[in-house]
Amino acid sequence: MATRIGVYPGTFDPITLGHADIIRRGAKLVDKLIIGVTTNMSKNPMFTPDERMAMVRREVAALGLDNVEVVGFNALLMKFAEKQGASVIVRGLRAVADFEYEYQMAGMNQQINSGIETVFLMADVSLQPIASKLVKEIALFGGPIHRFVSPAVRDDVLARIAVKGTLGDY
């Protein structure tokens, strides 16, 4: 029987507890889960691709998952998935707004390669509001992010902000 490979793509800037939850749960659905770390310049990245890959690798190691690999890519998702031999794209959903975007993307991806299915995992209720963009914004304004990321990621974000500086006047 063929190995079932899944791809979970994202920018992971930074990786959050919500991402870790989807990784942990997605890894149960496939024989091998490839975390595809990509760059989306419109998201104003705080970390370089190499830094994000290192963060994701460290967080995956902390989860103790032996069927997960972290790979960087800068290509069309479906081309990346094909190259990895994937039959599944794993996506996390937090809210209705996520669904609308992801539904459209899944439809476009199906048009490109109908042999690769998209599987949506609902975020754990306690993790639904977490978004990397909001984590960065809270941290940049000096707010607490310990509820949204692991201690190691929190330290990474705070170290980066120590160099860049905080925003606001509080």
Side-chain angles (χ1 to χ4, degrees), residues 97-158:
D98 282 351
F99 178 77
E100 291 174 8
Y101 172 78
E102 294 293 346
Y103 181 79
Q104 184 177 22
M105 288 299 297
M108 295 296 287
N109 288 339
Q110 185 180 38
Q111 294 293 317
I112 294 169
N113 185 332
S114 62
I116 300 176
E117 292 292 338
T118 300
V119 174
F120 298 110
L121 295 177
M122 295 301 300
D124 182 277
V125 171
S126 67
L127 304 173
Q128 284 179 356
I130 301 173
S132 293
K133 178 180 178 181
L134 296 177
V135 169
K136 290 185 290 190
E137 186 174 321
I138 291 166
L140 282 167
F141 280 97
I145 61 170
H146 65 279
R147 290 187 207 130
F148 315 124
V149 296
S150 73
V153 172
R154 182 195 65 226
D155 292 346
D156 291 337
V157 171
L158 295 180

Side-chain angles (χ1 to χ4, degrees), residues 10-163:
T11 53
F12 305 101
D13 185 55
I15 184 170
T16 68
L17 296 178
H19 291 129
D21 178 56
I22 298 298
I23 291 168
R24 181 185 51 76
R25 292 169 46 215
K28 294 177 185 177
L29 302 176
V30 294
D31 300 310
K32 180 179 182 180
L33 182 64
I34 297 169
I35 310 303
V37 179
T38 190
T39 298
N40 182 340
M41 295 312 289
S42 69
K43 290 190 174 184
N44 193 20
M46 177 178 275
F47 297 97
T48 68
D50 288 341
E51 289 169 331
R52 289 183 281 117
M53 286 181 47
M55 262 193 271
V56 173
R57 284 187 179 114
R58 182 188 63 217
E59 297 301 304
V60 167
L63 293 172
L65 302 171
D66 59 1
N67 68 328
V68 177
E69 180 182 349
V70 179
V71 178
F73 77 102
N74 186 19
L76 188 64
L77 172 58
M78 296 310 280
K79 295 291 184 187
F80 174 71
E82 289 168 3
K83 184 177 179 183
Q84 301 303 314
S87 59
V88 175
I89 303 293
V90 175
R91 299 298 293 160
L93 295 176
R94 295 173 303 211
V96 173
D98 282 351
F99 178 77
E100 291 174 8
Y101 172 78
E102 294 293 346
Y103 181 79
Q104 184 177 22
M105 288 299 297
M108 295 296 287
N109 288 339
Q110 185 180 38
Q111 294 293 317
I112 294 169
N113 185 332
S114 62
I116 300 176
E117 292 292 338
T118 300
V119 174
F120 298 110
L121 295 177
M122 295 301 300
D124 182 277
V125 171
S126 67
L127 304 173
Q128 284 179 356
I130 301 173
S132 293
K133 178 180 178 181
L134 296 177
V135 169
K136 290 185 290 190
E137 186 174 321
I138 291 166
L140 282 167
F141 280 97
I145 61 170
H146 65 279
R147 290 187 207 130
F148 315 124
V149 296
S150 73
V153 172
R154 182 195 65 226
D155 292 346
D156 291 337
V157 171
L158 295 180
R160 182 56 43 94
I161 289 173
V163 172

